[in-house]
Amino acid sequence: MISAANPILPGCYPDPSICRVGDEYYLVASTFEYLPGLPVLRSRDLVRWETVGHAIDRAGMLDFDGIRSSGGLYAPTIRHDGERFWIVCTLVDPSDDARGGNFLITATDAAGPWSDPIWLDADGIDPSVAFDESGRVWMHGTRLARNPAWHHQTEVWVREYSPDERALVGPEHVIWRGAVNGVVWAEGPHLYPIDGRWYLIAAEGGTEFHHAVSVARADQVTGPYEGNRANPVFTHRHLGRGAGVIGAGHADLIQAPDGSWQAVMLAMRASDGHHYPLGRETFLCPVEWEDGWPVFAPGRGRLPETVDVPWADAASPPDAWQPDDRRPGAVPPDDPRWTSLRVQPTQIATVESDDEGVQAWRLPVRAESPADAGTVAFLGVRQQHADLDATGILDVSDLAVGETAGLVVRQSEDDHATVRVTRSAEGLMLSAVHRRAGGEHVIAQRTLAPADTVRLAVRSRGYEYHLLGEGTVLATIDARELDASATGGFLGIWLGVFATSHGSEPRGHVRISRFHYEPSDSQVPVP
Protein backbone atom coordinates (compact mmCIF):
# COMPACT_ATOMS: atom_id res chain seq x y z
CA MET A 1 0.00 0.00 0.00
CA ILE A 2 1.21 3.51 -0.77
CA SER A 3 0.23 6.72 0.99
CA ALA A 4 -0.36 10.30 0.01
CA ALA A 5 1.62 12.80 2.07
CA ASN A 6 -0.29 15.95 2.94
CA PRO A 7 -0.41 18.40 1.37
CA ILE A 8 -0.68 16.47 -1.89
CA LEU A 9 0.00 19.73 -3.77
CA PRO A 10 2.28 21.96 -1.70
CA GLY A 11 2.45 25.67 -2.35
CA CYS A 12 -0.29 27.96 -3.58
CA TYR A 13 -2.87 25.53 -5.00
CA PRO A 14 -6.02 26.87 -3.33
CA ASP A 15 -9.71 26.07 -3.93
CA PRO A 16 -9.02 22.60 -5.37
CA SER A 17 -11.65 20.86 -7.47
CA ILE A 18 -11.39 17.28 -8.68
CA CYS A 19 -13.13 14.78 -10.94
CA ARG A 20 -12.39 11.20 -12.01
CA VAL A 21 -12.55 9.81 -15.54
CA GLY A 22 -11.98 6.06 -15.56
CA ASP A 23 -8.86 5.41 -13.50
CA GLU A 24 -7.52 8.95 -13.77
CA TYR A 25 -8.12 11.99 -11.58
CA TYR A 26 -8.07 15.59 -12.78
CA LEU A 27 -7.64 18.58 -10.50
CA VAL A 28 -7.69 22.36 -10.95
CA ALA A 29 -6.95 25.23 -8.55
CA SER A 30 -7.20 29.02 -8.40
CA THR A 31 -4.41 31.10 -9.92
CA PHE A 32 -5.64 34.70 -9.46
CA GLU A 33 -3.52 37.15 -11.54
CA TYR A 34 -0.95 34.56 -12.66
CA LEU A 35 -0.94 33.11 -16.17
CA PRO A 36 -1.17 30.56 -17.63
CA GLY A 37 -4.22 30.15 -15.44
CA LEU A 38 -5.99 27.17 -13.90
CA PRO A 39 -3.41 24.36 -14.02
CA VAL A 40 -4.94 21.01 -14.94
CA LEU A 41 -3.20 18.21 -13.05
CA ARG A 42 -3.65 14.49 -13.64
CA SER A 43 -2.99 11.53 -11.36
CA ARG A 44 -3.72 7.82 -11.26
CA ASP A 45 -3.36 7.45 -7.51
CA LEU A 46 -3.91 10.87 -5.84
CA VAL A 47 -0.23 10.74 -4.85
CA ARG A 48 1.76 11.57 -7.99
CA TRP A 49 0.50 14.44 -10.14
CA GLU A 50 1.40 15.65 -13.61
CA THR A 51 0.51 19.10 -14.94
CA VAL A 52 -0.96 18.25 -18.34
CA GLY A 53 -1.84 21.81 -19.28
CA HIS A 54 -3.60 25.00 -18.27
CA ALA A 55 -7.19 25.91 -19.03
CA ILE A 56 -6.41 29.61 -19.62
CA ASP A 57 -3.32 29.28 -21.77
CA ARG A 58 -3.57 31.69 -24.70
CA ALA A 59 -3.75 35.42 -25.21
CA GLY A 60 -7.18 36.96 -25.49
CA MET A 61 -9.16 34.30 -23.60
CA LEU A 62 -9.74 36.72 -20.71
CA ASP A 63 -8.93 40.36 -20.00
CA PHE A 64 -6.43 40.61 -17.14
CA ASP A 65 -5.23 44.13 -17.92
CA GLY A 66 -4.61 46.04 -14.69
CA ILE A 67 -6.03 43.40 -12.35
CA ARG A 68 -4.26 43.77 -9.03
CA SER A 69 -2.87 41.02 -6.87
CA SER A 70 -5.46 38.55 -5.51
CA GLY A 71 -7.83 39.47 -8.31
CA GLY A 72 -8.23 37.26 -11.36
CA LEU A 73 -9.28 33.62 -11.39
CA TYR A 74 -11.22 32.39 -8.35
CA ALA A 75 -12.37 28.92 -7.34
CA PRO A 76 -12.71 26.81 -10.50
CA THR A 77 -14.73 23.60 -10.64
CA ILE A 78 -13.84 20.73 -13.01
CA ARG A 79 -16.31 18.04 -14.04
CA HIS A 80 -16.71 15.46 -16.84
CA ASP A 81 -20.06 14.64 -18.44
CA GLY A 82 -18.97 11.38 -20.09
CA GLU A 83 -17.81 13.08 -23.28
CA ARG A 84 -16.03 16.30 -22.37
CA PHE A 85 -14.54 18.24 -19.49
CA TRP A 86 -16.22 21.33 -18.07
CA ILE A 87 -14.58 24.06 -16.01
CA VAL A 88 -16.60 26.89 -14.50
CA CYS A 89 -14.80 29.75 -12.77
CA THR A 90 -15.00 33.40 -11.77
CA LEU A 91 -12.89 36.27 -13.10
CA VAL A 92 -12.69 38.95 -10.39
CA ASP A 93 -11.47 42.53 -10.66
CA PRO A 94 -11.66 44.01 -7.14
CA SER A 95 -11.44 47.55 -8.54
CA ASP A 96 -14.10 47.13 -11.23
CA ASP A 97 -17.21 45.06 -10.49
CA ALA A 98 -18.39 45.53 -14.08
CA ARG A 99 -15.48 43.49 -15.42
CA GLY A 100 -15.39 39.76 -15.12
CA GLY A 101 -18.04 37.38 -13.84
CA ASN A 102 -18.72 33.67 -14.06
CA PHE A 103 -17.80 31.69 -17.17
CA LEU A 104 -17.70 28.19 -18.62
CA ILE A 105 -15.05 26.53 -20.79
CA THR A 106 -15.00 22.97 -22.15
CA ALA A 107 -12.53 20.54 -23.72
CA THR A 108 -12.55 16.97 -24.96
CA ASP A 109 -9.00 16.53 -23.65
CA ALA A 110 -8.03 17.88 -20.22
CA ALA A 111 -4.69 18.96 -21.71
CA GLY A 112 -6.60 21.27 -24.04
CA PRO A 113 -7.32 23.11 -26.13
CA TRP A 114 -10.08 24.63 -24.02
CA SER A 115 -12.89 26.60 -25.60
CA ASP A 116 -13.24 30.35 -25.41
CA PRO A 117 -15.22 31.40 -22.34
CA ILE A 118 -19.01 31.34 -22.34
CA TRP A 119 -20.18 34.01 -19.91
CA LEU A 120 -22.98 33.04 -17.53
CA ASP A 121 -25.77 35.40 -16.51
CA ALA A 122 -25.13 34.83 -12.82
CA ASP A 123 -23.61 37.13 -10.23
CA GLY A 124 -21.47 36.12 -7.28
CA ILE A 125 -18.47 33.80 -7.23
CA ASP A 126 -17.39 30.15 -6.99
CA PRO A 127 -19.60 28.53 -9.63
CA SER A 128 -19.96 24.77 -9.89
CA VAL A 129 -21.76 22.37 -12.20
CA ALA A 130 -23.49 19.00 -11.78
CA PHE A 131 -25.24 16.55 -14.12
CA ASP A 132 -28.35 14.55 -13.23
CA GLU A 133 -29.21 11.07 -14.47
CA SER A 134 -31.23 12.40 -17.38
CA GLY A 135 -28.32 14.53 -18.63
CA ARG A 136 -29.64 17.89 -17.45
CA VAL A 137 -26.97 20.37 -16.38
CA TRP A 138 -27.28 22.30 -13.11
CA MET A 139 -25.13 25.35 -12.48
CA HIS A 140 -24.78 26.68 -8.95
CA GLY A 141 -22.72 29.23 -7.09
CA THR A 142 -22.65 31.65 -4.17
CA ARG A 143 -23.28 35.35 -3.69
CA LEU A 144 -24.08 37.86 -0.99
CA ALA A 145 -27.66 37.23 0.17
CA ARG A 146 -30.26 39.41 -1.54
CA ASN A 147 -32.08 39.89 1.76
CA PRO A 148 -29.42 39.21 4.40
CA ALA A 149 -30.28 38.45 8.00
CA TRP A 150 -26.75 39.44 9.05
CA HIS A 151 -23.66 41.12 7.61
CA HIS A 152 -21.91 39.06 4.91
CA GLN A 153 -24.56 36.37 4.89
CA THR A 154 -24.33 34.53 1.60
CA GLU A 155 -26.67 32.27 -0.31
CA VAL A 156 -26.22 29.39 -2.73
CA TRP A 157 -28.29 29.36 -5.90
CA VAL A 158 -28.95 26.65 -8.48
CA ARG A 159 -30.29 26.96 -12.01
CA GLU A 160 -30.45 24.76 -15.10
CA TYR A 161 -28.02 25.34 -17.95
CA SER A 162 -28.83 24.59 -21.60
CA PRO A 163 -25.80 23.48 -23.65
CA ASP A 164 -27.79 24.11 -26.84
CA GLU A 165 -28.67 27.68 -25.90
CA ARG A 166 -25.35 28.18 -24.09
CA ALA A 167 -27.25 29.96 -21.34
CA LEU A 168 -28.92 29.52 -18.00
CA VAL A 169 -32.60 28.67 -18.41
CA GLY A 170 -35.64 28.23 -16.19
CA PRO A 171 -36.16 29.52 -12.65
CA GLU A 172 -33.45 30.13 -10.11
CA HIS A 173 -33.62 28.40 -6.74
CA VAL A 174 -31.88 29.66 -3.60
CA ILE A 175 -31.03 26.47 -1.69
CA TRP A 176 -28.71 27.48 1.16
CA ARG A 177 -28.08 30.50 3.38
CA GLY A 178 -25.60 29.03 5.83
CA ALA A 179 -25.57 26.24 8.38
CA VAL A 180 -25.04 28.37 11.48
CA ASN A 181 -26.74 31.60 12.50
CA GLY A 182 -24.33 34.46 11.79
CA VAL A 183 -21.98 32.40 9.60
CA VAL A 184 -20.26 34.28 6.78
CA TRP A 185 -19.22 33.39 3.26
CA ALA A 186 -20.84 30.12 2.25
CA GLU A 187 -18.30 29.54 -0.53
CA GLY A 188 -17.18 26.82 -2.91
CA PRO A 189 -20.56 25.03 -3.15
CA HIS A 190 -20.64 21.67 -4.91
CA LEU A 191 -23.69 19.49 -5.62
CA TYR A 192 -23.48 15.71 -6.03
CA PRO A 193 -26.15 13.13 -6.93
CA ILE A 194 -25.38 10.16 -4.66
CA ASP A 195 -27.61 7.14 -3.99
CA GLY A 196 -30.82 8.87 -4.98
CA ARG A 197 -30.18 12.10 -3.04
CA TRP A 198 -28.53 15.40 -3.79
CA TYR A 199 -25.78 16.53 -1.44
CA LEU A 200 -24.47 20.08 -1.06
CA ILE A 201 -20.94 20.63 0.29
CA ALA A 202 -20.10 24.25 1.10
CA ALA A 203 -17.25 26.09 2.81
CA GLU A 204 -18.26 28.53 5.53
CA GLY A 205 -16.64 30.92 7.98
CA GLY A 206 -14.28 32.72 5.61
CA THR A 207 -11.18 31.33 3.92
CA GLU A 208 -8.84 31.77 6.89
CA PHE A 209 -8.62 30.44 10.45
CA HIS A 210 -12.40 29.94 10.89
CA HIS A 211 -12.84 28.04 7.62
CA ALA A 212 -15.17 25.03 7.85
CA VAL A 213 -17.09 22.45 5.81
CA SER A 214 -20.87 22.08 6.01
CA VAL A 215 -23.19 19.64 4.26
CA ALA A 216 -26.87 19.47 3.39
CA ARG A 217 -29.03 17.06 1.39
CA ALA A 218 -32.29 17.00 -0.54
CA ASP A 219 -34.42 14.64 -2.60
CA GLN A 220 -34.38 17.05 -5.57
CA VAL A 221 -31.53 19.18 -6.90
CA THR A 222 -33.64 22.30 -6.40
CA GLY A 223 -34.35 21.46 -2.74
CA PRO A 224 -35.53 21.88 -0.10
CA TYR A 225 -32.22 21.03 1.62
CA GLU A 226 -31.82 19.87 5.19
CA GLY A 227 -28.57 20.60 6.96
CA ASN A 228 -26.62 17.99 8.84
CA ARG A 229 -27.19 18.44 12.58
CA ALA A 230 -23.41 17.99 12.99
CA ASN A 231 -22.63 21.11 10.92
CA PRO A 232 -19.98 22.25 10.48
CA VAL A 233 -18.95 18.67 9.83
CA PHE A 234 -15.25 19.48 9.47
CA THR A 235 -12.96 22.28 10.60
CA HIS A 236 -9.62 22.87 12.30
CA ARG A 237 -10.70 26.01 14.13
CA HIS A 238 -11.63 24.08 17.28
CA LEU A 239 -8.04 22.78 17.47
CA GLY A 240 -6.70 26.26 18.16
CA ARG A 241 -3.72 27.94 16.56
CA GLY A 242 -1.26 25.34 17.80
CA ALA A 243 -2.55 22.68 15.40
CA GLY A 244 0.11 23.46 12.77
CA VAL A 245 -2.45 23.30 9.96
CA ILE A 246 -5.23 25.91 9.95
CA GLY A 247 -8.07 27.07 7.72
CA ALA A 248 -9.22 23.66 6.43
CA GLY A 249 -12.18 23.92 4.07
CA HIS A 250 -13.42 24.35 0.49
CA ALA A 251 -13.84 20.61 0.01
CA ASP A 252 -14.65 18.63 -3.14
CA LEU A 253 -15.64 14.94 -2.98
CA ILE A 254 -14.30 12.17 -5.18
CA GLN A 255 -14.95 8.41 -5.29
CA ALA A 256 -12.09 6.00 -6.01
CA PRO A 257 -12.48 2.99 -8.32
CA ASP A 258 -12.79 0.68 -5.29
CA GLY A 259 -15.83 2.63 -4.04
CA SER A 260 -14.04 4.47 -1.23
CA TRP A 261 -14.35 8.24 -0.88
CA GLN A 262 -11.89 11.07 -0.45
CA ALA A 263 -12.05 14.84 -0.41
CA VAL A 264 -9.59 17.45 -1.55
CA MET A 265 -9.60 20.74 0.32
CA LEU A 266 -7.42 23.73 1.04
CA ALA A 267 -5.59 24.38 4.29
CA MET A 268 -2.54 26.32 5.42
CA ARG A 269 0.60 25.15 7.20
CA ALA A 270 1.24 27.79 9.86
CA SER A 271 3.81 26.70 12.42
CA ASP A 272 3.11 29.78 14.55
CA GLY A 273 -0.67 29.47 14.08
CA HIS A 274 -0.94 32.68 12.08
CA HIS A 275 1.45 32.93 9.12
CA TYR A 276 1.64 30.72 6.03
CA PRO A 277 4.03 31.99 3.32
CA LEU A 278 3.37 28.93 1.14
CA GLY A 279 -0.26 29.98 0.90
CA ARG A 280 -3.34 27.81 0.81
CA GLU A 281 -2.35 24.31 -0.23
CA THR A 282 -4.25 21.23 -1.43
CA PHE A 283 -4.78 18.46 1.13
CA LEU A 284 -6.38 15.02 0.88
CA CYS A 285 -8.90 13.84 3.46
CA PRO A 286 -10.48 10.37 3.81
CA VAL A 287 -14.29 10.27 3.86
CA GLU A 288 -16.72 7.59 5.00
CA TRP A 289 -20.52 7.52 4.92
CA GLU A 290 -22.58 7.04 8.07
CA ASP A 291 -26.37 7.32 8.37
CA GLY A 292 -26.55 8.90 4.91
CA TRP A 293 -23.99 11.63 5.62
CA PRO A 294 -20.30 12.04 4.72
CA VAL A 295 -17.87 11.91 7.65
CA PHE A 296 -14.56 13.67 7.05
CA ALA A 297 -11.41 12.16 8.62
CA PRO A 298 -13.46 9.59 10.56
CA GLY A 299 -12.12 8.74 14.00
CA ARG A 300 -9.56 11.51 13.74
CA GLY A 301 -11.37 14.77 13.03
CA ARG A 302 -8.40 16.51 11.44
CA LEU A 303 -6.36 16.34 8.26
CA PRO A 304 -3.90 13.45 8.56
CA GLU A 305 -0.22 13.78 7.73
CA THR A 306 -0.60 10.85 5.34
CA VAL A 307 -3.60 9.20 3.72
CA ASP A 308 -3.55 5.53 2.73
CA VAL A 309 -4.60 4.92 -0.87
CA PRO A 310 -5.21 1.16 -0.97
CA TRP A 311 -6.63 1.20 -4.51
CA ALA A 312 -3.40 2.58 -5.95
CA ASP A 313 -0.84 0.36 -7.62
CA ALA A 314 2.57 1.79 -6.79
CA ALA A 315 3.96 0.55 -10.10
CA SER A 316 1.20 1.87 -12.36
CA PRO A 317 2.08 5.57 -12.79
CA PRO A 318 5.11 6.19 -14.99
CA ASP A 319 8.17 7.59 -13.28
CA ALA A 320 7.66 10.89 -15.07
CA TRP A 321 4.49 11.45 -13.08
CA GLN A 322 6.04 13.28 -10.17
CA PRO A 323 4.75 16.38 -8.42
CA ASP A 324 6.54 19.50 -9.60
CA ASP A 325 8.19 19.98 -6.21
CA ARG A 326 9.74 16.50 -6.41
CA ARG A 327 11.96 17.54 -9.32
CA PRO A 328 14.68 19.73 -7.82
CA GLY A 329 17.33 21.39 -9.87
CA ALA A 330 17.22 23.55 -12.96
CA VAL A 331 13.78 24.81 -14.00
CA PRO A 332 13.93 24.85 -17.82
CA PRO A 333 11.70 27.12 -19.90
CA ASP A 334 9.32 24.28 -20.78
CA ASP A 335 8.62 23.49 -17.11
CA PRO A 336 4.87 23.99 -16.41
CA ARG A 337 5.63 25.80 -13.14
CA TRP A 338 6.61 29.02 -14.94
CA THR A 339 4.03 31.79 -14.71
CA SER A 340 3.87 35.48 -15.44
CA LEU A 341 1.63 38.35 -14.38
CA ARG A 342 -1.58 39.11 -16.34
CA VAL A 343 -0.14 37.84 -19.64
CA GLN A 344 1.13 34.51 -20.89
CA PRO A 345 4.89 34.00 -20.40
CA THR A 346 5.46 33.81 -24.16
CA GLN A 347 3.91 37.28 -24.54
CA ILE A 348 6.75 38.89 -22.59
CA ALA A 349 9.66 36.49 -23.09
CA THR A 350 11.17 34.21 -25.69
CA VAL A 351 13.17 31.00 -25.44
CA GLU A 352 16.62 30.86 -27.00
CA SER A 353 19.46 28.32 -26.98
CA ASP A 354 23.11 28.85 -26.19
CA ASP A 355 26.03 27.35 -28.10
CA GLU A 356 25.58 24.05 -26.24
CA GLY A 357 21.88 23.84 -27.04
CA VAL A 358 20.74 24.69 -23.49
CA GLN A 359 17.52 26.65 -23.59
CA ALA A 360 16.93 29.75 -21.49
CA TRP A 361 14.45 32.60 -21.19
CA ARG A 362 15.26 35.92 -22.84
CA LEU A 363 13.27 38.52 -20.88
CA PRO A 364 13.08 42.01 -22.42
CA VAL A 365 13.01 44.87 -19.94
CA ARG A 366 9.65 46.61 -19.49
CA ALA A 367 8.81 50.01 -18.04
CA GLU A 368 6.63 48.48 -15.33
CA SER A 369 8.16 47.22 -12.08
CA PRO A 370 6.92 44.58 -9.61
CA ALA A 371 5.16 47.46 -7.81
CA ASP A 372 2.84 48.02 -10.80
CA ALA A 373 -0.40 46.21 -11.64
CA GLY A 374 0.51 46.13 -15.32
CA THR A 375 2.44 43.98 -17.74
CA VAL A 376 5.56 43.34 -15.72
CA ALA A 377 8.66 41.62 -17.07
CA PHE A 378 8.32 38.79 -14.56
CA LEU A 379 8.71 35.01 -14.73
CA GLY A 380 8.27 33.00 -11.56
CA VAL A 381 7.30 29.78 -9.80
CA ARG A 382 5.35 29.01 -6.64
CA GLN A 383 7.25 28.55 -3.41
CA GLN A 384 6.48 24.96 -2.40
CA HIS A 385 8.91 24.38 0.49
CA ALA A 386 9.56 26.31 3.68
CA ASP A 387 13.28 25.56 3.33
CA LEU A 388 14.77 26.03 -0.12
CA ASP A 389 17.41 27.74 -2.23
CA ALA A 390 16.27 29.55 -5.37
CA THR A 391 19.20 30.67 -7.51
CA GLY A 392 19.23 32.71 -10.69
CA ILE A 393 22.28 33.16 -12.91
CA LEU A 394 21.42 36.21 -14.98
CA ASP A 395 23.20 37.51 -18.04
CA VAL A 396 22.82 41.27 -17.59
CA SER A 397 25.27 42.32 -20.29
CA ASP A 398 22.44 43.85 -22.35
CA LEU A 399 20.87 45.91 -19.57
CA ALA A 400 20.84 49.58 -20.49
CA VAL A 401 21.89 52.31 -18.09
CA GLY A 402 19.16 52.85 -15.50
CA GLU A 403 17.67 49.39 -15.94
CA THR A 404 17.35 46.78 -13.19
CA ALA A 405 17.05 43.00 -13.11
CA GLY A 406 16.96 40.56 -10.23
CA LEU A 407 15.11 38.01 -8.15
CA VAL A 408 11.86 38.80 -6.36
CA VAL A 409 10.07 37.20 -3.43
CA ARG A 410 6.56 38.22 -4.43
CA GLN A 411 3.35 38.46 -2.47
CA SER A 412 1.79 41.41 -4.32
CA GLU A 413 2.51 44.77 -5.89
CA ASP A 414 2.66 46.36 -2.45
CA ASP A 415 4.54 43.64 -0.63
CA HIS A 416 7.65 41.94 -2.00
CA ALA A 417 11.41 41.77 -1.55
CA THR A 418 14.08 41.86 -4.24
CA VAL A 419 17.79 41.27 -4.67
CA ARG A 420 18.78 43.16 -7.80
CA VAL A 421 21.42 44.70 -9.96
CA THR A 422 21.09 48.11 -11.62
CA ARG A 423 23.34 49.35 -14.41
CA SER A 424 24.70 52.85 -14.07
CA ALA A 425 27.27 54.74 -16.10
CA GLU A 426 29.86 53.56 -13.59
CA GLY A 427 28.91 49.88 -13.65
CA LEU A 428 26.61 47.54 -11.69
CA MET A 429 25.04 48.29 -8.32
CA LEU A 430 23.86 45.31 -6.22
CA SER A 431 21.06 45.98 -3.72
CA ALA A 432 18.43 44.36 -1.52
CA VAL A 433 15.09 46.14 -1.36
CA HIS A 434 12.00 45.45 0.74
CA ARG A 435 8.65 46.86 -0.34
CA ARG A 436 6.11 46.73 2.46
CA ALA A 437 2.58 48.18 2.41
CA GLY A 438 3.55 50.16 -0.68
CA GLY A 439 6.66 51.75 0.85
CA GLU A 440 10.07 50.79 -0.54
CA HIS A 441 13.20 50.53 1.59
CA VAL A 442 16.74 49.88 0.36
CA ILE A 443 18.26 47.61 2.99
CA ALA A 444 21.72 47.12 1.55
CA GLN A 445 23.69 48.01 -1.56
CA ARG A 446 27.21 47.84 -2.93
CA THR A 447 28.99 48.08 -6.24
CA LEU A 448 29.95 44.98 -8.22
CA ALA A 449 33.03 44.33 -10.25
CA PRO A 450 32.37 44.50 -14.00
CA ALA A 451 30.76 41.25 -15.19
CA ASP A 452 28.34 39.97 -17.80
CA THR A 453 26.59 37.57 -15.44
CA VAL A 454 25.52 37.80 -11.80
CA ARG A 455 24.48 35.08 -9.39
CA LEU A 456 21.57 36.02 -7.17
CA ALA A 457 19.77 33.79 -4.69
CA VAL A 458 16.94 33.59 -2.18
CA ARG A 459 17.51 31.21 0.70
CA SER A 460 14.31 30.45 2.59
CA ARG A 461 14.54 28.92 6.06
CA GLY A 462 11.21 28.77 7.82
CA TYR A 463 10.12 32.36 8.39
CA GLU A 464 13.33 33.91 7.06
CA TYR A 465 14.25 34.90 3.53
CA HIS A 466 17.97 35.54 3.05
CA LEU A 467 18.74 37.64 -0.04
CA LEU A 468 22.13 36.82 -1.55
CA GLY A 469 24.24 38.44 -4.23
CA GLU A 470 27.36 36.69 -5.51
CA GLY A 471 27.29 34.33 -2.52
CA THR A 472 26.99 37.04 0.14
CA VAL A 473 23.91 37.56 2.32
CA LEU A 474 22.81 41.15 1.81
CA ALA A 475 19.63 41.14 3.89
CA THR A 476 17.21 38.94 5.78
CA ILE A 477 13.45 39.47 5.43
CA ASP A 478 10.84 38.18 7.87
CA ALA A 479 8.40 36.00 5.91
CA ARG A 480 5.69 36.92 8.39
CA GLU A 481 5.72 40.40 6.87
CA LEU A 482 5.08 39.01 3.38
CA ASP A 483 2.42 36.31 3.78
CA ALA A 484 -1.27 36.85 3.11
CA SER A 485 -2.25 36.94 6.78
CA ALA A 486 -0.04 40.02 7.22
CA THR A 487 -0.64 41.74 3.89
CA GLY A 488 -4.18 40.69 2.94
CA GLY A 489 -5.20 38.79 -0.16
CA PHE A 490 -5.22 35.11 -0.99
CA LEU A 491 -1.80 34.23 -2.39
CA GLY A 492 1.24 32.30 -1.34
CA ILE A 493 4.74 33.44 -2.22
CA TRP A 494 6.15 33.32 -5.76
CA LEU A 495 9.89 33.37 -6.52
CA GLY A 496 11.03 34.72 -9.85
CA VAL A 497 13.02 37.00 -12.09
CA PHE A 498 12.07 40.55 -13.07
CA ALA A 499 13.47 43.35 -15.21
CA THR A 500 12.40 47.00 -15.25
CA SER A 501 13.40 50.38 -16.60
CA HIS A 502 11.53 52.14 -13.77
CA GLY A 503 9.10 53.89 -16.08
CA SER A 504 11.60 54.97 -18.73
CA GLU A 505 11.60 53.70 -22.29
CA PRO A 506 13.01 50.15 -22.02
CA ARG A 507 15.97 49.22 -24.22
CA GLY A 508 17.69 46.13 -22.81
CA HIS A 509 16.96 42.56 -21.83
CA VAL A 510 18.13 39.96 -19.35
CA ARG A 511 18.86 36.33 -20.13
CA ILE A 512 18.01 33.81 -17.41
CA SER A 513 21.02 31.58 -17.97
CA ARG A 514 19.98 29.28 -15.12
CA PHE A 515 17.18 29.20 -12.58
CA HIS A 516 17.43 26.53 -9.89
CA TYR A 517 14.84 25.61 -7.27
CA GLU A 518 16.36 23.41 -4.56
CA PRO A 519 14.52 22.12 -1.48
CA SER A 520 17.02 22.32 1.37
CA ASP A 521 17.07 18.53 1.76
CA SER A 522 17.85 18.05 -1.93
CA GLN A 523 21.06 16.29 -2.84
CA VAL A 524 21.38 18.32 -6.04
CA PRO A 525 24.16 20.89 -5.53
CA VAL A 526 23.32 24.57 -5.82
CA PRO A 527 25.34 26.01 -8.73
Side-chain angles (χ1 to χ4, degrees), residues 79-406:
R79 296 291 185 262
H80 193 267
D81 65 3
E83 295 182 357
R84 59 179 174 168
F85 291 91
W86 299 52
I87 289 179
V88 286
C89 189
T90 310
L91 177 67
V92 175
D93 183 350
S95 64
D96 184 0
D97 291 338
R99 177 163 60 162
N102 296 302
F103 64 89
L104 160 69
I105 54 177
T106 61
T108 56
D109 185 339
W114 289 82
S115 68
D116 288 332
I118 298 170
W119 293 97
L120 304 173
D121 183 20
D123 58 359
I125 58 173
D126 296 14
S128 188
V129 60
F131 312 100
D132 66 19
E133 292 182 354
S134 67
R136 296 170 73 182
V137 183
W138 297 94
M139 294 286 183
H140 42 290
T142 188
R143 66 187 178 212
L144 288 171
R146 298 284 173 82
N147 298 293
W150 56 81
H151 183 60
H152 279 170
Q153 182 186 22
T154 45
E155 60 190 19
V156 176
W157 57 268
V158 62
R159 191 177 177 192
E160 188 173 3
Y161 176 80
S162 170
D164 293 334
E165 299 180 42
R166 307 209 314 174
L168 295 169
V169 297
E172 178 187 86
H173 305 266
V174 175
I175 61 173
W176 193 246
R177 291 185 174 88
V180 180
N181 186 47
V183 74
V184 299
W185 300 113
E187 300 173 314
H190 296 301
L191 287 169
Y192 313 86
I194 300 172
D195 294 338
R197 284 191 173 119
W198 283 88
Y199 287 84
L200 169 68
I201 301 289
E204 298 185 358
T207 181
E208 35 74 39
F209 179 79
H210 294 97
H211 213 193
V213 178
S214 292
V215 60
R217 68 187 182 188
D219 293 329
Q220 306 293 330
V221 66
T222 55
Y225 282 80
E226 62 165 330
N228 190 333
R229 288 185 295 172
N231 279 331
V233 295
F234 189 77
T235 183
H236 273 205
R237 65 193 183 200
H238 66 292
L239 301 175
R241 293 194 177 273
V245 176
I246 64 174
H250 205 111
D252 197 6
L253 293 174
I254 191 67
Q255 189 175 24
D258 69 348
S260 62
W261 290 81
Q262 303 284 335
V264 293
M265 67 177 72
L266 69 82
M268 299 88 85
R269 289 181 286 176
S271 60
D272 70 349
H274 294 271
H275 299 281
Y276 42 94
L278 273 62
R280 298 176 299 156
E281 305 174 282
T282 291
F283 287 72
L284 188 66
C285 181
V287 176
E288 293 181 0
W289 290 80
E290 296 180 3
D291 304 320
W293 294 103
V295 178
F296 293 77
R300 184 188 300 259
R302 62 181 297 168
L303 291 171
E305 292 184 4
T306 60
V307 181
D308 291 336
V309 285
W311 63 88
D313 179 354
S316 63
D319 291 340
W321 282 34
Q322 296 290 326
D324 292 338
D325 69 298
R326 301 290 202 273
R327 288 184 274 130
V331 186
D334 61 353
D335 192 292
R337 285 175 287 179
W338 284 113
T339 58
S340 54
L341 292 167
R342 306 173 192 90
V343 293
Q344 302 293 335
T346 52
Q347 291 180 264
I348 60 166
T350 57
V351 178
E352 58 183 25
S353 299
D354 62 16
D355 295 338
E356 298 178 356
V358 177
Q359 291 190 323
W361 286 109
R362 181 184 184 275
L363 182 64
V365 175
R366 300 187 71 91
E368 296 86 349
S369 79
D372 298 313
T375 305
V376 183
F378 166 88
L379 294 167
V381 300
R382 294 169 181 79
Q383 181 181 348
Q384 295 184 276
H385 299 80
D387 299 333
L388 66 92
D389 294 284
T391 305
I393 299 176
L394 308 183
D395 183 338
V396 295
S397 58
D398 286 316
L399 282 185
V401 171
E403 295 180 340
T404 296

